Amino acid sequence: MNSLNKTAELNVQPDNFYINHLSDEIRVEQLCQKLLKHFHQHLLDSGKFSPLEAGSMASGADYFLRDFVIDSLRANIFHITARQVRGFAGNWYVHRNLEPNMKELETILKGVREFYCYCANNSWAETTVCHQIAEICCDLDYFRERIDSFHALTGDDYPGWCEQCPTN
C-alpha cells in the first residue's frame, strides 16, 4: 500500500487536535504520534531522503510538535503560525537545550518544514501558512545569530534577548 492510501486511512481531522484539558493533551499526543509515523513513512516513500534523513526529519518534527506545540504551547498543531516557529527556533529551542547548535536545529527545522508541506498537501493546513513556515525554517543565519547571541549573554541581558524573539 502506498503512502497516499495510508494517509487516507489515517483520517486526520484537524479539529481533533485542540487541547483544553489534560485528557485532550494525552489524546492529541497519541494522534500526533500516529500522524508522525505516517509522515515518516511518507518521507521514506518519496524517495527523496535516505532512511537516516527521513528518521532525523521525523524526529525533528516530533520534537517541535510534541515538546513545543503540544506540551509547551498547548496548541493545535494545525494552527501554528510562522511566528511561533520562529519563536521555537530562535528562543525556546535555544534556552531549553544544554548545547543548542545549528546542526541539530537545522535538522529540526527541515523536519518542521517538510511536515507542514505534507499537511498542506493533504489539506490539513493552509498552503500559505506552509509557505510562511518554510520561509522561516530557511532563515538559518537568523537562528545562528540567536544561538551565538545567547552564548554571549551577560548580566541582565536575558530578558531583552527573549523579547527580541517571543515564543508565541
Side-chain angles (χ1 to χ4, degrees), residues 74-111:
R74 297 179 57 83
N76 185 317
I77 66 171
F78 297 108
H79 295 190
I80 293 303
T81 65
R83 178 184 164 115
Q84 289 169 314
V85 174
R86 181 180 292 278
F88 162 80
N91 185 328
W92 193 90
Y93 164 82
V94 178
H95 80 258
R96 292 281 179 132
N97 285 277
L98 289 175
E99 295 183 31
N101 65 84
M102 280 308 298
K103 182 177 180 185
E104 178 180 57
L105 183 56
E106 189 171 353
T107 300
I108 293 169
L109 290 172
K110 190 174 182 182

Side-chain angles (χ1 to χ4, degrees), residues 83-154:
R83 178 184 164 115
Q84 289 169 314
V85 174
R86 181 180 292 278
F88 162 80
N91 185 328
W92 193 90
Y93 164 82
V94 178
H95 80 258
R96 292 281 179 132
N97 285 277
L98 289 175
E99 295 183 31
N101 65 84
M102 280 308 298
K103 182 177 180 185
E104 178 180 57
L105 183 56
E106 189 171 353
T107 300
I108 293 169
L109 290 172
K110 190 174 182 182
V112 169
R113 183 185 72 228
E114 290 296 323
F115 177 79
Y116 281 99
C117 287
Y118 171 71
C119 290
N121 288 339
N122 285 288
S123 301
W124 303 324
E126 295 293 325
T127 303
T128 54
V129 172
C130 167
H131 292 302
Q132 292 166 351
I133 288 172
E135 188 175 317
I136 292 295
C137 288
C138 292
D139 195 1
L140 300 180
D141 290 338
Y142 174 78
F143 299 121
R144 186 174 292 106
E145 184 278 323
R146 292 290 294 164
I147 290 172
D148 292 345
S149 65
F150 178 78
H151 289 302
L153 289 175
T154 59

